Amino acid sequence: MHFHSLFQNFGELTVTGLAQGAIYALFALGYTMVYGVLRLINFAHSEVFMVGTFAAVLTWGLFGLDQDSATPSVGAVLLLLLAGFLAAALAAGIMALIVEMVAYRPLRRRNAPPLVFLITAIGASTVISEAVGIGTHRNVSSVPPLIRPSTVVQIGNTSVTNIQILIVGLALVMMVVLDLFIGKTRLGRGVRAVAQDPDSAALMGVNKNRVISLVFLTGGLMAGIAAVMYLLKIGGTRYDAGFHLGIKAFTAAVLGGIGNLRGALLGGLALGLAENYGSGLFGTQWRDVVAFVLLVVILLFRPTGILGESMGRARA
Amino acid sequence: MLLELADVSLCYGRIRALHGISLIVEEGEIVALIGANGAGKSTTMRAISGLRPLSGGAVRFDSTDISRLRADLRVIRGIVQVPEGRGVFPGMTVAENLAMGAYARRDQAAIRDDLEKVFVLLPRLLERKGQAGGTLSGGEQQMLAVGRALMSRPRLLLLDEPSMGLAPMIIQQIFEIIEEINRQGTTILLVEQNAQQALSRAHRAYVLETGRIVQSGTGKELLDDSAVKEAYLGVA
């Protein structure tokens, strides 16, 4: 164990952990919201994310940019980022809606048992990722160099880059917006009503299918934003980019308390930090081992996750 | 006639819970549906509010066939059910629960008026406004469920076992509130195991046994009926 390296790089590990965790958190929202309303793990959500990454890459391609382009001017970069975020969020949101309409809604109408939903979820996930895999010849699509990572803040030996600030800042803003939407608006009340008591919600005039669509759409939008953050951080994507990250995001959702929006934030950040401290302590090859041991240990003591489920209870 | 059930049957899987129920509710009435556990009272309510699809027969509201209409659209037409066990949203405050009652409405000014009326009728809800629904007592939850239903401006209010699990004094109070709501112009269909209370408050009543209506009459007639007395009022 490298206690020395952990302490030496503690600040650095914290910053990278938070940035990684912010991506997990936004990605996790889709799992947690759908679970809160339908008690369903939407395994195809990882592919929703993946579709978001490709939508951004394609959009930047439309502007004639690829990984060999020179870094555009500041104004152009801002516009390109905005276009990328919009395209990814829209594409991912629509993908999520399609998954719900094609894979889940017909089963709900027939009152299918929960296991059947699990199978169609895995099926939808495979179909989407394979279709993109075939379409892209399973190649990596790289991102134009929109933002060169540069240190903006330096404290001791800890440096914080512009990309890290963008990721964490934007993630926090999106979380607050979503939290207000679910907590304070009429539509948000409808979502919580369906999560807490679907029959009662219908008796209040809530159209359950509309709420479910809204939840898939919102989860998809958030995954799309996470997708662009991922691109800025990693620099490229592939047809299977959603798979591994999806497992992590799902873990973050469970860790924080699945069904709980703030839990997704907390779980995402906790997972990102644990991974990075773990790799500092034991070496990077141990990062996933540390993450999942942490999950098991926390669930042993708190089976409902750090915050417990709460779109059902208290304020989401 | 405001509501008519014509030969309604309903199945849960292979089990037939209702065998051709026919009943009517006139505008302005309080009608009670009494019967033992498992007689099909709550199922009848679900058939009317649309939570369960019919297997036969028709539900007509205001002389329109609504048998295939979704539950949330029946609310907009004016049929509002207070479900068995109240169905209060446990994680929402009293104020949010009441706002849920007006979910399908957009007339903000009228909603505010109605909220005030609900607070006048049920002052306890005003005291508990900021408290989570799940932390209320049983009687308060029942009041909240009734107040919430009123927020959707029902023409027909369906009450499923409003007295369930409540202390006798609270039951008395709940029934007084129900009568007051009726006096203010809302038609009420009421399902009750507490036959004594229900029959003495209702204009008319139906007796349900194993998914069939076996008797009907005015509340007073049924109170005096020897078969009803023996079966539901615990008097030989």
Side-chain angles (χ1 to χ4, degrees), chain B residues 141-200:
Chain B
Q141 287 196 10
Q142 186 62 54
M143 288 180 197
L144 177 55
V146 169
R148 186 180 61 178
L150 290 179
M151 288 303 293
S152 44
R153 288 220 167 157
R155 293 181 61 198
L156 174 65
L157 181 60
L158 306 172
L159 297 169
D160 197 347
E161 304 269 7
S163 75
M164 194 172 70
L166 301 182
M169 233 177 67
I170 311 285
I171 294 179
Q172 197 70 26
Q173 209 181 339
I174 292 281
F175 274 98
E176 274 158 25
I177 291 165
I178 293 170
E179 282 191 318
E180 177 56 32
I181 292 168
N182 178 250
R183 265 196 298 276
Q184 293 179 8
T186 307
T187 309
I188 288 170
L189 177 61
L190 174 73
V191 154
E192 259 301 340
Q193 282 201 53
N194 188 333
Q196 174 73 46
Q197 278 285 351
L199 292 178
S200 59

Side-chain angles (χ1 to χ4, degrees), chain B residues 2 49 82 94 114 149 158 177 196 212 235:
Chain B
L2 187 63
S49 60
V82 175
V94 168
D114 286 353
L158 306 172
I177 291 165
Q196 174 73 46
R212 289 183 182 82
V235 198

Side-chain angles (χ1 to χ4, degrees), chain A residues 64-88:
Chain A
L65 291 169
D66 57 32
Q67 70 261 41
D68 303 322
S69 313
T71 305
S73 67
V74 177
V77 165
L78 286 179
L79 272 177
L80 285 166
L81 279 180
L82 188 66
F85 275 115
L86 279 179

Side-chain angles (χ1 to χ4, degrees), chain B residues 8-9 20 49 63 65 67 88 94 100 121 130 136 143 145 153 159 191 210 220-221:
Chain B
V8 164
S9 47
S49 60
S63 35
D65 190 333
S67 311
V88 161
V94 168
M100 276 311 298
L121 184 70
L136 300 181
M143 288 180 197
R153 288 220 167 157
L159 297 169
V191 154
T210 56
K220 180 137 183 18
E221 279 166 11

Side-chain angles (χ1 to χ4, degrees), chain A residues 111 183 186-187 189-194 196-211 312-315, chain B residues 49 51 70-72 75 80-81 83 86-93 96 99-106 130 148-149:
Chain A
N111 278 321
R186 174 179 163 276
L187 278 176
R189 256 199 314 274
V191 172
R192 280 185 292 148
V194 174
Q196 292 179 20
D197 189 335
D199 276 353
S200 229
L203 293 176
M204 301 292 106
V206 180
N207 182 342
K208 194 180 160 193
N209 278 332
R210 198 174 294 166
V211 162
R313 274 179 270 120
R315 250 159 270 176
Chain B
S49 60
L51 284 183
R70 277 203 326 258
D72 56 292
V75 175
V80 178
Q81 181 189 355
R86 291 136 203 159
V88 161
F89 299 114
M92 293 192 198
T93 64
E96 284 180 311
M100 276 311 298
Y103 187 83
R105 294 172 59 186
R106 296 301 178 104
R148 186 180 61 178

